Amino acid sequence: MSQNPQSSEGRNDDDSALSDFLASLMDYTPTIPDELVEHYLAKSGFQCPDVRLTRLVAVATQKFVAEVAGDALQHCKARQATIPKDKRDKQQKDKRLVLTMEDLSKALREYGVNLKHQEYFADSPSTGMDPATREE
């Protein structure tokens, strides 16, 4: 059987492009440090001495986080748009958007990540209790 010369040329182009991309990762400093990526890769049982692969995971993670953040921003803006006009006018003075866990949960859900969180967060079990009843 003879191979189609065009398919082997296309494969060589793909291999060349992949090699060039991986080589470019050596000069790239990702937002997520290599040490952090290596830590989580090792924690999941993956070890690879090639820093290019670590940086590839960092770039993919950075892209994922940026997309989730952008989607959460859209959810935040949509939530702000549903606030009644009289309350919205009072908030317009500040013009800051506040990202909530609800916005983040909705954005992550679009990517198949179900985030469960408690309704109330506390630094310690005694937070918010009367000082006389605390057991510390």
Side-chain angles (χ1 to χ4, degrees):
M1 265 203 274
S2 66
Q3 284 190 341
N4 182 353
Q6 289 180 345
S7 68
S8 65
E9 283 179 21
R11 197 171 295 137
N12 288 341
D13 288 346
D14 289 345
D15 289 346
S16 175
L18 180 60
S19 295
D20 291 346
F21 176 69
L22 288 174
S24 73
L25 288 175
M26 291 302 294
D27 300 328
Y28 178 72
T29 304
T31 303
I32 302 169
D34 291 341
E35 295 80 13
L36 182 65
V37 176
E38 288 169 357
H39 168 77
Y40 282 104
L41 288 175
K43 194 172 178 179
S44 69
F46 182 83
Q47 292 183 352
C48 180
D50 191 351
V51 71
R52 297 175 303 171
L53 190 57
T54 302
R55 290 193 179 159
L56 181 62
V57 171
V59 169
T61 303
Q62 182 178 337
K63 181 181 184 306
F64 175 74
V65 169
E67 287 179 358
V68 169
D71 290 348
L73 176 63
Q74 295 307 314
H75 286 290
C76 179
K77 288 179 178 179
R79 181 176 43 83
Q80 293 290 338
T82 62
I83 295 174
K85 187 164 176 41
D86 57 332
K87 289 184 182 178
R88 195 176 334 136
D89 289 341
K90 292 177 187 174
Q91 291 178 346
Q92 286 295 331
K93 293 176 188 173
D94 196 3
K95 292 195 180 194
R96 288 187 301 177
L97 297 174
V98 178
L99 178 67
T100 64
M101 286 297 291
E102 180 183 344
D103 300 329
L104 186 58
S105 294
K106 286 179 181 178
L108 285 169
R109 201 172 305 131
E110 293 174 10
Y111 293 91
V113 178
N114 293 319
L115 185 66
K116 296 187 187 329
H117 58 89
Q118 297 176 349
E119 292 299 319
Y120 180 76
F121 294 98
D123 295 331
S124 70
S126 61
T127 300
M129 294 178 66
D130 181 16
T133 61
R134 286 186 185 175
E135 295 177 13
E136 293 185 286

